[in-house]
Amino acid sequence: METEKPSLASRNPITPEIRRFLESMRVPCVLSTLRRDGHPITSSTWYGFSPESDVIIATPTERNKARNVRRDPRVSFLVDAREPPYRGVAIEGVAEILPDPQGSLLACIVRRYLDADAAAQMLDRLRTHGERVIIRIRPE
């Protein structure tokens, strides 16, 4: 039985305090999506922000993350400090798949984590690994 897909219209925007925390963190996030049978699958990945301030993640088009979001957009996203005082942010929401044909959103994500030279090398390498899409997370 297919689960009814949640609406992207209902959302709680990320507060400025949460946005500042997420921007300050240079650790991967933990993203959970739902498999076809409803069980969660979790992966660690880099994240960034869309121009609308939503959290975004880049992934190959056919990776589990993208396939799962296409089928069931409910996701969970977590970023936590790995040192005292162990602060963190957890977001539950719905996601959508966006094209990124020029790779501009992917580049924004990579540049959050790497200096200019390393980012350029990483982007060159990623371009040879097939098409990527963006998962945009809208908090609920």
Side-chain angles (χ1 to χ4, degrees):
M1 179 166 111
E2 286 292 316
T3 305
E4 183 177 323
K5 293 188 176 184
S7 166
L8 290 175
S10 64
R11 66 180 295 208
N12 296 315
I14 295 172
T15 66
E17 178 184 18
I18 291 172
R19 171 74 187 239
R20 282 190 301 275
F21 173 80
L22 291 173
E23 286 176 340
S24 73
M25 299 300 292
R26 293 296 186 269
V27 299
C29 70
V30 175
L31 177 71
S32 295
T33 61
L34 298 172
R35 293 180 174 145
R36 182 176 304 281
D37 65 5
H39 286 88
I41 184 170
T42 302
S43 59
S44 180
T45 188
W46 290 353
Y47 67 95
F49 303 93
S50 71
E52 303 83 19
S53 291
D54 292 316
V55 172
I56 58 172
I57 294 167
T59 190
T61 301
E62 294 306 317
R63 196 56 70 80
N64 282 336
K65 291 184 278 277
R67 285 196 317 260
N68 291 345
V69 166
R70 284 185 196 100
R71 188 180 50 262
D72 187 335
R74 295 175 295 168
V75 298
S76 175
F77 167 91
L78 173 71
V79 173
D80 64 346
R82 300 204 164 99
E83 299 172 359
Y86 302 115
R87 299 176 339 136
V89 167
I91 296 172
E92 292 178 353
V94 294
E96 65 181 325
I97 301 293
L98 303 175
D100 189 23
Q102 305 305 315
S104 58
L105 294 173
L106 170 62
C108 289
I109 294 168
V110 170
R111 289 183 188 125
R112 281 191 74 243
Y113 290 88
L114 302 174
D115 65 36
D117 289 337
Q121 290 175 9
M122 174 67 80
L123 290 167
D124 285 343
R125 188 172 62 92
L126 291 174
R127 285 187 188 101
T128 66
H129 288 99
E131 182 183 352
R132 290 183 171 266
V133 293
I134 299 297
I135 297 174
R136 178 169 57 184
I137 300 169
R138 303 240 178 157
E140 287 194 325

